Amino acid sequence: MTSTPGVGPVMAWTLLAQLRELGQLSRQKIANLVGVAPLNRDSGTVRGHRSIWGGRASVRQVLYMSAVSGVRWNPTLKAVYQHLIGNGKPTKVALVACMRKLLVYLNAMVRDQAPWQVQSVA
């Protein structure tokens, strides 16, 4: 995992210790487990604002700092972040999207037992 730009030893150890399901769940389930999946706040006919909540807060906190670093040093996350900012998304929304993207990449890396490869951004 530490072959990924933006992921250091603290992030790797936190995922190994507190997220044992990494590599075994789908991308939607792992994002929901950590709490970076957008969840609805709907009730009856009222459609609320989508936001992230729940999940494992300690993992989410470390993932946030890793995403901040990744947006600066990881070319894939940087491209995703710049694309979202260019489309008018607020900076925090773009950063949370990068958190989710980084978690999905790490999940796939652990599942496939593969090191980091630069991902194409489409």
Side-chain angles (χ1 to χ4, degrees), residues 3 13-14 24 26 31 41 49 54 57 73 76 81 91 93 109 117:
S3 65
W13 283 110
T14 301
Q24 300 171 2
S26 69
R41 295 236 182 218
H49 191 75
W73 299 108
T76 304
Y81 182 79
T91 55
V93 171
M109 286 171 53
Q117 297 174 359

Side-chain angles (χ1 to χ4, degrees), residues 46 49 55 64 70 77 108-109:
V46 176
H49 191 75
Y64 174 82
L77 288 180
M109 286 171 53

Side-chain angles (χ1 to χ4, degrees), residues 29 44 49 52 63 66 68 107:
K29 289 181 181 177
H49 191 75
I52 62 168
L63 186 61
S66 186
V68 168
N107 188 41

Side-chain angles (χ1 to χ4, degrees), residues 22-27 104-114:
L22 193 68
Q24 300 171 2
L25 297 176
S26 69
R27 59 189 172 90
V104 168
Y105 287 153
L106 292 173
N107 188 41
M109 286 171 53
V110 170
R111 181 191 65 221
D112 300 338
Q113 303 268 320

Side-chain angles (χ1 to χ4, degrees), residues 8 14 19-20 23 26 29 32 38 40 44-46 51 64-65 77 82 88-89 91 96 105 111 117-118 122:
T14 301
L19 196 61
R20 289 178 281 139
S26 69
K29 289 181 181 177
N32 200 9
N40 300 337
T45 59
V46 176
S51 61
Y64 174 82
M65 290 308 297
L77 288 180
Q82 292 297 330
K89 297 292 182 187
T91 55
V96 169
Y105 287 153
R111 181 191 65 221
Q117 297 174 359
V118 175

Side-chain angles (χ1 to χ4, degrees), residues 4-8 62-82 95 98-99 102 116:
T4 307
V7 176
V62 176
L63 186 61
Y64 174 82
M65 290 308 297
S66 186
V68 168
S69 176
V71 163
R72 185 169 182 183
W73 299 108
N74 189 325
T76 304
L77 288 180
K78 188 175 195 172
V80 169
Y81 182 79
Q82 292 297 330
L95 193 57
C98 290
M99 288 169 58
L102 180 60
W116 171 257

